[in-house]
Amino acid sequence: HRHAQVTLTWQQLKEIEAACELCSTGIGPQRAEAERYVVGLRSSENAIATAHFIITNSQNDHACFHAAIMLKEATLRDW
């Protein structure tokens, strides 16, 4: 399969990074909301391209970790 490239805005990347941080460090409803957001990204149609963009452009360890999981899950799902 050939996957489209994704270009996120700087603001979108920062939102993803913040959500990934909250998945690891947040508590209560804030963390739950961040986890729902990240799970939604993982199940999106363009998850592989989004993960690749995050890994290529983010310096945030939490975001890169979640992007690697997203890449793995989407690759297995789309195989």
Side-chain angles (χ1 to χ4, degrees):
H1 298 290
R2 180 106 174 111
H3 295 279
Q5 286 191 322
V6 168
T7 302
L8 301 174
T9 65
W10 180 85
Q11 183 60 37
Q12 289 170 314
L13 183 58
K14 292 297 165 201
E15 288 172 11
I16 292 169
E17 289 173 341
C20 291
E21 288 272 348
L22 284 172
C23 285
S24 299
T25 62
I27 56 172
Q30 218 179 16
R31 182 178 183 154
E33 184 178 332
E35 288 172 350
R36 279 191 296 276
Y37 177 75
V38 171
V39 168
L41 285 174
R42 287 185 194 170
S43 59
S44 71
E45 195 173 290
N46 59 353
I48 291 174
T50 300
H52 183 264
F53 184 90
I54 294 166
I55 291 168
T56 302
N57 294 285
S58 179
Q59 299 291 316
N60 183 291
D61 290 340
H62 296 284
C64 290
F65 172 78
H66 285 282
I69 293 170
M70 184 188 322
L71 185 59
K72 176 188 141 205
E73 289 178 356
T75 300
L76 292 172
R77 179 187 70 220
D78 293 351
W79 183 320

